[in-house]
Amino acid sequence: SHCPPQGAGSLFHIRLAGGSTPCPYLSPRDPHPLCHPAVDRALRLSGAGGPPHVKLTVEWDLSTKERLFGDIREEVVQDAESVRLQAQAHQQQSCSLEECFQLYTKEEQLAPDDAWRCPHCKVPQQGMVKLSLWTLPDILIIHLKRFRQVAARRHKLSTLVQFPLRGLDMAPHMAPWGPGSWGHQQPPPRHPPSSPHDSLYDLYAVCYHHGGMNGGHYTGEWGHRECRERGGGWY
């Protein structure tokens, strides 16, 4: 049988979510509402996935909620002009996909806190680190990082990234084939390219995100191969 919430005229009611208790509402008249057999039963049934816990749902009186908070579903907090200008200062208008790869794979020096301990001299060294690709997949998926941390806030980057429709060459970003490139370590296996075209990619599809950091939606474009070769056929 259903047990109605107790405490008529209260601003809200607290309901114990889940479980099989016949009266899931906690009494507002109880000075220690969590010291209740229903809460103990829910703790025993919480199962795996972390420490024992219970889930509580706050059910507001609708008239009280509207009077205190209004319609918060349409609430949009606008950034101050200084915050907007600061975000624009950190964002360029456009760049190429090749520039993105160059920045991603450029050589960098380790910070003092990340120093590498040399096995010969046993002294931490601020060595150089560089990211390179060892193998290439048949289908290459590129995920662009579209946010930047500015002070305590994160902003979405709307920089236009230009990329070729055909012939994206990934060979300049591959690790060298030389036997000494891995030092004394055994490199992972990989097959040498059978032709120079193995590192070339044609654009097949694009996924777009519309919106900001707090929400939005996705759309996509896909091109049929035969239609793409004729300069059209994007859907």
Side-chain angles (χ1 to χ4, degrees), residues 58-184:
V58 176
E59 298 180 350
W60 285 89
D61 174 72
L62 291 181
S63 60
T64 303
K65 175 178 175 293
E66 292 178 358
R67 177 166 52 86
L68 293 177
F69 303 106
D71 190 358
I72 62 175
R73 292 174 300 177
E74 302 298 329
E75 181 181 358
V76 177
V77 179
Q78 298 292 340
D79 287 335
E81 182 68 14
S82 59
V83 176
R84 187 182 65 83
L85 294 177
Q86 186 182 27
Q88 289 181 351
H90 289 81
Q91 189 168 163
Q92 63 188 91
Q93 296 300 317
S94 66
C95 65
S96 66
L97 187 60
E98 178 63 25
E99 290 175 320
C100 294
F101 276 115
Q102 290 176 0
L103 289 174
Y104 186 73
T105 59
K106 73 175 182 179
E107 193 175 64
E108 297 178 313
Q109 187 175 23
L110 293 174
D113 294 340
D114 298 324
W116 169 72
R117 188 173 184 271
C118 177
H120 302 289
C121 65
K122 312 299 182 182
V123 176
Q125 302 288 342
Q126 289 182 250
M128 305 300 293
V129 61
K130 186 181 188 304
L131 294 176
S132 298
L133 302 177
W134 185 247
T135 59
L136 290 174
D138 294 333
I139 299 177
L140 178 65
I141 300 176
I142 300 173
H143 185 190
L144 299 176
K145 178 183 174 182
R146 281 291 186 180
F147 65 89
R148 174 187 290 273
Q149 189 83 22
V150 180
R153 300 174 65 90
R154 290 199 305 174
H155 300 272
K156 180 182 176 181
L157 297 176
S158 57
T159 304
L160 175 65
V161 178
Q162 301 174 345
F163 45 85
L165 297 180
R166 303 188 63 181
L168 173 65
D169 190 5
M170 297 299 295
H173 309 294
M174 297 291 293
W177 282 93
S181 58
W182 283 78
H184 299 290

Side-chain angles (χ1 to χ4, degrees), residues 198-230:
D198 287 350
S199 61
L200 299 180
Y201 291 88
D202 294 340
L203 186 65
Y204 178 78
V206 182
C207 180
Y208 304 99
H209 177 260
H210 308 267
M213 293 298 299
N214 296 323
H217 64 278
Y218 290 90
T219 61
E221 284 188 282
W222 167 79
H224 190 275
R225 179 177 179 180
E226 296 180 357
C227 296
R228 293 200 316 268
E229 293 176 351
R230 296 196 297 265

